[in-house]
Structures are given as structure tokens and as C-alpha cells.
């Protein structure tokens, strides 16, 4: 009985409280070559809706919330020079759905894989010009954080950031019919 109580006490101390993925750690900061890229989407993309995220229960495990993911996505698009000045501005709007976030229950190195569906729609015609689900992993190593709940948060943030970076790369190189590159 004493061993069981000791084990429960150690687990309680080491488990701590889970915190959700942080916006600033999911955001991508573009370099000058990305910002200066010639693309018809420059300052032309508004984020319409982000769904599918889950709020974090501090007593359970870290998650990626829809609101935090939306803020990180907008910050990243702004940094890349793609975000329109307002939600009603821009010729295109982006609809996002976090389809799945695969997380380990425990582990030394924790790999999280985020699957996010992005749909870019031309505002005037309602035509979808880009639709893709991006699925990418990120591993937080044991050396990144001692506490498992902290490693899981880092892996969530890394998976989200990697996913957003892949989206931006695709949007920068996207050829949109009928639009002249400025």
C-alpha cells in the first residue's frame, strides 16, 4: 500500500498541469524571399473559419485549440505577406479544419502528427482554387523537456508550425488562373 501511495505521489508531481499549444510557438516567421515572392495571393487571403481544434483540459493533456491555431495561421500569413488587411478584404478566403491530431499517450520522444484541411476559395465566384489536406509529423525529444506534458505541448506546437509552413510554401507557388502576378 505504501508503494502504491508513493507511486501516485511521484506521478502527481511529475504530471503537472497540461497547457494548450501557444500561438507564438505555432507561428511561422517568413524570411525576406518569401515576403517578396511574386504571387497573386499577396495581401489577398483572409482566414474565414478555423474548426476542429480541441481546448486543453489542464488535468488531462495538451491540445491545439481552433482559436490559437487561427491566430498562429493569421500571424504566419501576415509574416509571409499573404494576409489581407481584414476578414472582408482580399480576393480569397481560407477555410481550415483540423481533421486529426495524432498524439502519443506517453513516451520519451513524442511525435505528434497534425492533419489539416485547407480550402482556398475565390470570394467573387465561390470557386475553390486550392483544396488540400496536409499531414505532417513533429517530434519533441526527451532532451527538449523533462516533463511529458511539456514535451507533448512542444510536439503539438511543432506539428502545427510545420503544417502552416507547408501551407505557406504551397500558397506562394500556387498559380491562380486569370490573375496577373504583380
Amino acid at each position: 500500500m505504501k508503494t502504491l501511495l508513493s507511486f501516485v505521489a511521484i506521478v502527481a508531481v511529475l504530471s503537472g498541469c497540461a497547457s494548450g499549444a501557444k500561438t507564438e510557438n505555432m507561428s511561422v516567421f517568413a524570411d525576406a524571399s518569401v515576403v517578396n515572392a511574386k504571387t497573386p495571393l499577396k495581401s489577398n487571403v483572409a482566414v474565414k473559419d478555423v474548426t476542429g481544434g480541441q481546448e486543453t483540459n489542464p488535468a488531462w493533456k495538451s491540445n491545439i485549440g481552433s482559436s490559437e491555431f487561427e491566430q498562429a495561421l493569421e500571424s504566419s500569413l501576415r509574416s509571409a505577406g499573404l494576409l489581407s488587411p481584414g476578414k472582408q478584404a482580399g480576393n480569397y478566403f481560407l477555410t481550415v479544419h483540423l481533421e486529426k491530431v495524432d498524439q502519443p499517450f506517453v513516451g520519451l520522444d513524442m511525435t505528434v502528427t497534425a492533419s489539416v484541411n485547407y480550402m482556398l476559395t475565390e470570394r467573387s465566384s465561390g470557386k475553390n482554387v486550392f483544396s488540400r489536406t496536409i499531414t505532417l509529423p513533429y517530434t519533441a525529444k526527451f532532451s527538449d523537456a523533462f516533463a511529458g506534458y511539456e514535451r507533448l505541448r512542444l510536439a503539438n506546437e511543432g506539428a502545427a508550425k510545420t503544417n502552416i509552413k507547408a501551407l505557406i510554401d504551397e500558397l506562394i507557388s500556387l498559380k491562380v488562373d486569370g490573375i496577373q502576378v504583380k
Side-chain angles (χ1 to χ4, degrees):
M1 183 68 162
K2 195 174 186 180
T3 305
L4 178 62
L5 288 175
S6 296
F7 176 74
V8 170
I10 290 170
V11 168
V13 168
L14 292 178
S15 65
C17 291
S19 61
K22 297 176 182 173
T23 300
E24 61 273 12
N25 296 339
M26 293 186 287
S27 298
V28 175
F29 299 100
D31 61 26
S33 65
V34 172
V35 174
N36 295 323
K38 295 200 180 295
T39 173
L41 299 177
K42 192 168 195 120
S43 299
N44 240 345
V45 178
V47 177
K48 179 181 179 187
D49 199 18
V50 175
T51 59
Q54 294 183 348
E55 296 305 314
T56 295
N57 177 346
W60 182 230
K61 65 177 184 170
S62 176
N63 284 311
I64 302 171
S66 293
S67 175
E68 292 78 12
F69 190 80
E70 180 174 5
Q71 291 170 23
L73 179 61
E74 286 181 341
S75 172
S76 301
L77 291 170
R78 183 178 301 108
S79 174
L82 298 175
L83 190 68
S84 65
K87 290 223 182 246
Q88 299 305 318
N91 293 329
Y92 301 91
F93 60 85
L94 188 63
T95 305
V96 180
H97 181 70
L98 282 85
E99 290 182 344
K100 189 173 187 180
V101 179
D102 283 327
Q103 301 173 315
F105 186 67
V106 294
L108 294 180
D109 293 346
M110 293 192 179
T111 299
V112 170
T113 301
S115 294
V116 185
N117 179 268
Y118 299 97
M119 189 169 4
L120 186 67
T121 306
E122 185 178 39
R123 190 180 299 274
S124 62
S125 69
K127 175 184 169 191
N128 289 338
V129 295
F130 174 84
S131 181
R132 172 123 189 265
T133 298
I134 298 175
T135 302
L136 292 169
Y138 182 86
T139 300
K141 303 225 179 273
F142 180 74
S143 60
D144 294 336
F146 174 72
Y149 65 90
E150 186 72 17
R151 269 193 319 283
L152 182 58
R153 181 183 59 79
L154 293 173
N156 283 336
E157 292 167 349
K161 185 174 190 169
T162 302
N163 203 288
I164 291 171
K165 170 81 169 93
L167 169 71
I168 289 172
D169 290 344
E170 291 209 25
L171 291 179
I172 292 290
S173 64
L174 184 66
K175 304 296 182 217
V176 183
D177 294 336
I179 304 293
Q180 295 296 321
V181 177
K182 297 177 182 177

